[in-house]
Amino acid sequence: MKENSDFLDFYRNITFSDNYDVNSFIGKWIDDAIWSDEEYIKLEKSLLTIQKAYPYPTDIPREIIISLYRIIELMMIPNWLDFDVEKSNLNDESDIFDRFERLKLVISYVLSGNDIQEIGFGYNP
């Protein structure tokens, strides 16, 4: 298995990890009710690094799957409108729903093994 340092930005977002950071994407999400574009980019890049490290049909280690599930679990909230968006591009008109759709797409690609060349999407950080 890859060393934790290879996926540091991933583990910064895992609440039960020794590397958890309250200033990570998930940290800002659960503590401050903020979607941070800057922190999301780091998480997405790390997710895509995981996908490359464990290409289909290679099994993704259980530890990573459990950690990924934790992120998904924390993103399930009753009211998305209670959360603010901390934009990295002030001209971006995408809303929080566009952002969540992108996250779901990235996670599905990591789990399915499909290759992401470029995501043509409403929200492109």
Side-chain angles (χ1 to χ4, degrees):
M1 182 162 66
K2 302 289 182 188
E3 294 294 320
N4 284 0
S5 62
D6 290 344
F7 309 126
L8 182 58
D9 280 321
F10 176 69
Y11 287 107
R12 286 179 61 238
N13 287 278
I14 308 305
T15 55
F16 53 80
S17 169
D18 292 339
N19 294 313
Y20 178 67
D21 181 354
V22 295
N23 294 310
S24 67
F25 174 74
I26 289 296
K28 289 183 176 197
W29 180 257
I30 61 177
D31 292 338
D32 303 324
I34 291 175
W35 175 293
S36 168
D37 282 351
E38 181 180 332
E39 289 299 322
Y40 172 76
I41 294 279
K42 294 176 188 177
L43 175 59
E44 180 177 300
K45 285 180 181 178
S46 192
L47 289 170
L48 297 176
T49 299
I50 289 169
Q51 181 193 34
K52 288 177 186 149
Y54 302 100
Y56 185 81
T58 305
D59 289 336
I60 299 172
R62 184 180 304 261
E63 172 192 346
I64 292 176
I65 295 295
I66 291 168
S67 298
L68 187 55
Y69 178 75
R70 180 64 176 152
I71 290 173
I72 294 167
E73 178 182 43
L74 291 170
M75 297 301 295
M76 297 294 124
I77 56 166
N79 191 354
W80 286 86
L81 299 178
D82 288 342
F83 286 72
D84 293 319
V85 175
E86 194 175 75
K87 295 181 179 184
S88 59
N89 175 358
L90 297 178
N91 295 323
D92 181 6
E93 295 183 18
S94 304
D95 61 19
I96 197 161
F97 302 106
D98 294 327
R99 286 165 165 78
F100 183 61
E101 285 300 315
R102 182 180 177 107
L103 174 61
K104 290 191 311 186
L105 181 68
V106 168
I107 290 172
S108 73
Y109 273 75
V110 170
L111 294 174
S112 71
N114 292 330
D115 189 26
I116 298 176
Q117 296 299 322
E118 183 175 323
I119 302 175
F121 220 75
Y123 166 62
N124 289 302

